[in-house]
Amino acid sequence: MSQAAGDPGRFGGLGLGNGRVMHGSRQTTRDGADVATLPRGMILERPDVELAMPAEPDSVALARQMVRGIIDRLGWSDESRTDISIAVTEACTNAVLHAYPDSAGDYEVFAWAEPEKLVVAVRDHGQGISPRVPSPSAGLGLGMPLMLAIADEVNFTSEGGVTEVRMSFTPGSRREDG
């Protein structure tokens, strides 16, 4: 593993990445930020932590533990830890269950951490986001509503063969509706 871009001591050494580019090339911007260029011009700043795993049910627990470790290091509340873990679990579960219905594949989890903000992206290279067709095996369909209820911001993108769910959180960020 190689140290992620930025301050090597950031978050007590938590900023470790595997140092590889996900399906693209590496560039440096004018301000010196290390970025990966993705299909169709999508640009992703190098995360503090990145994890690539097979899209298998057992891998979701590892992604959840990674995010919990970051939250613990940030010193956020148990409630934030639980809520964010649920949202990340749902995003990873969607990749595992829906990205590769007829084949095997991988998905990636990226995290950018700051003392007052955490951004988590879950990305796959599967079939993309499609309208839901009700079926007994499709589940209850609660993942997206949970992510939307918990995160400060959620973005869903599916282009160029890359599907990404990006969520940002602040301490105690559960949305209050009404």
Side-chain angles (χ1 to χ4, degrees):
M1 288 187 152
S2 64
Q3 190 72 20
D7 179 5
R10 192 170 173 196
F11 305 107
L14 190 64
L16 295 176
N18 62 14
R20 67 189 180 101
V21 177
M22 302 297 178
H23 305 281
S25 62
R26 182 136 335 263
Q27 296 179 354
T28 302
T29 62
R30 286 185 297 211
D31 66 354
D34 191 19
V35 296
T37 304
L38 300 168
R40 295 187 184 197
M42 291 172 60
I43 294 180
L44 170 71
E45 286 186 44
R46 187 161 180 192
D48 294 310
V49 181
E50 54 188 308
L51 186 62
M53 298 167 291
E56 298 172 353
D58 291 343
S59 68
V60 174
L62 181 58
R64 182 174 48 246
Q65 284 302 110
M66 176 192 85
V67 170
R68 283 181 171 188
I70 294 168
I71 296 163
D72 288 347
R73 190 69 185 154
L74 291 171
W76 291 6
S77 70
D78 288 341
E79 181 182 48
S80 290
R81 182 179 189 252
T82 299
D83 287 348
I84 295 167
S85 296
I86 290 168
V88 171
T89 296
E90 291 299 333
C92 293
T93 299
N94 284 345
V96 168
L97 293 178
H98 304 297
Y100 309 100
D102 300 320
S103 63
D106 295 328
Y107 70 102
E108 298 122 8
V109 181
F110 302 92
W112 298 264
E114 299 173 10
E116 294 299 320
K117 183 176 182 180
L118 174 64
V119 177
V120 178
V122 177
R123 180 180 304 140
D124 66 66
H125 303 273
Q127 71 175 10
I129 299 172
S130 58
R132 184 174 151 78
V133 177
S135 76
S137 64
L140 298 175
L142 297 176
M144 287 189 186
L146 276 171
M147 288 182 267
L148 291 166
I150 292 169
D152 292 319
E153 185 177 340
V154 181
N155 294 301
F156 301 91
T157 57
S158 188
E159 59 181 85
V162 177
T163 300
E164 179 180 280
V165 176
R166 185 177 292 222
M167 302 170 284
S168 46
F169 308 93
T170 53
S173 68
R174 185 186 297 223
R175 286 187 180 173
E176 301 291 333
D177 293 329

